[in-house]
Amino acid sequence: MKLTKGIITVLAAALAVAISVTGSYALTIYPIDRAAILAGQRFDFKVEFDRVVNIQDIKVTINGKDYTRVFGKNAEFIEKEKGVNPEASAIILRDVEIKTHGKYTVVADDGMNRKVVAWEVYPINREIKKAKNIILMIGDGMSIGHRTAARILSKGITEGKYHSKLSMDDMPHMALVGTSGVDSVITDSANSASAYATGHKSSVNALGVYADRTPDPFDDPKVETITEYVKRTRKMAVGIVTDAEVQDATPAAMAAHTRRRATKAEITQMLFDVDVDVLMGGGSAYFLPMSTPGSKRKDNTDFFNVFRNAGYTIATTKAELSDAASNPKTMKLLGQFHTGNMDCALDNLFLRKGTTDKFPEQPGLVEMTKTAIDVLSRHKNGFVLMVEGALIDKASHPLDWERAVIDTIQFDKAVEAAKGFAKKRKDTLILVVADHTHGINIVGTIDDNKEAEQMRDKIGVYADAGYPDYKDEDKDGYPDSIDVSKRLAVFFNNFPDYYETFRPKLDGRFVPAVKNEKGHYVANEKYKDVPGAVLRTGNLPRKASDGVHTADDVVLTADGPGAERVHGFMDNTEVFRVMVNALR
Amino acid sequence: MIRGLIVIILSFAVLLSAYKSSASSGAALLKFSELYESISVMGMKISKKTLSLVGKRVTMRGFMAPPLKPDLKFFVLTRQPVDICPFCDSDADWPEDIVVVYLKGKVKYSADGTPVTVEGVLDVGSSIDKETGFVSRIRIIDARASRL
């Protein structure tokens, strides 16, 4: 036993020496090991060496042949990559593709080290039913807890049975999807949406690229997005709809290639460059030239002019959107309804809080979805549409479960609209999925009428929970009030320091914590004096401002041609595969 | 002894009156809510009051946002305390109505839950900070800041 331990120590020491000698990098090949690549999908091929190497010493083969014979061209050799310290070499070959499906073994050898990765190149499966249109609906951060609470609040439940199902429940195919990325078990929306849009894994904050080691956010090895692929190979139309900024991670993943999702001014250009036919959401601050107050650009390009000159109809209010949709000549549409993220459904449709005083004419996600489908269905080659319910996530980060759940209901109504379109035609694949989860759970009910000094003693669990008393007398699918006397007790399992108020935040979205001079997030004193509020000491690192994403699987439900491939447990990159397999 | 005390009291009174006059006559109070006349998808319109005060001394109250990096010559003044650092989190973004404050000395970071008062000369128009590339549209330059 002791001897074994000793040997391990010696081996570990030897390994440590080996690592320090060869520098802090490992020989790396992009696309990475176990990548599944659609035959004919474009990607950048990059090999990073762990030190400065001689070009003559490099030998890279694919299934035993020199890589130049497989790709038909030579890679660029970079002797010393910019910003990489310690200095190291790389080769990069942009925009290559492999047309023949099969197993590929890639070997990179620099005379000292050797790296082997395996790729699977898959064809579009001709046996699978084909769809003219594909609608990918992403409830950002939508977890089981959001979904169950939305069903309770929207449809009602008595004696254990729901009065009806959500639209997204009522779909014939279902799977669990794993969301982890290259770099971490916990994903962010950029990374995860990128897996849906490209079929390749990525890293936190990265869109449409494998995150390489160089600091430049725009030089990372790219992978072709579904937008680029269907436009290039099938001349299909593409729509992107969100209630966040259109440059936010999930919508941007449909078109962008950047290591940093925060490069929103550049993402605006990328959204234009891929020739998206319908683009709707917030984020006008990145369309306005720097000289206009409210702009967040660092140049004087006016993207409203750029889009207008390219033939887009521009809508900035609900009424303009409706006009644009009803004009049969509208083929390209830019909807911009906010300088930043749009308001949550609870604020926009009911409370008129948030920024609705400044942006009173914001359409909801349902109207945007219907309009996008109206315009896109005018394109004869079919369309791919991504609709994101972004604010489920934006409200879940600050632990504002009521806003997140009302947005889940709104998202479900957008699903209903998409299903309504597909039902008449039977040529449209609909996928409804989240991109990651939050730690949200329903633990019981809170009853204000229960006699108790502390709010926690008003929580009913097990048999004491009974049922909440939300009502929907106007039958609009939303509860008439969220501030009922007996309401759901919903908690997030990870949080910074915050004051738990046990009540909905009717004045505006919750801000649980603020940063102090040490850089730590501390409970926001604003909620200290809410009757019954108690301090909950955070269980996250003190640098965490809000609740965080969790690694739990997400649910995917699907309907339409090609949906039969959705079952069991799937990797998030397989969502891309389901979509491309359904292409004609 | 008594004479000395009188001198001290007198000097204090002089200082106090000087301070009062600078606060009341020198600098106009400008509120966040008064900075812009309107905001829409197509941008914001700077208010007449803001424009009329360009080049003059103003006082503003707000919150000091978390810093881009230590020892900068400017800080960002916000209407509400920001719960997230837009410089640190890629997911986050600045509010639209920020004011960038260039202090006479270097910035010493103040807890951003703490409101501050800033007095300085108002400047308006797009400007890119040379050191950081940070773009600002409303600035208070040559400023002094104090905790409220």
Side-chain angles (χ1 to χ4, degrees), chain A residues 548-562:
Chain A
V548 297
H549 298 175
T550 51
D552 306 6
D553 301 336
V554 297
V555 176
L556 164 63
T557 49
D559 196 358

Side-chain angles (χ1 to χ4, degrees), chain B residues 26-29 53 55-59 104 119-122 141-144:
Chain B
L29 184 68
L53 290 170
K56 295 178 184 157
R57 290 195 78 78
V58 295
T59 302
K104 277 184 174 169
E119 194 193 307
V121 178
L122 188 69
I141 52 177
D142 216 7
R144 284 182 301 168

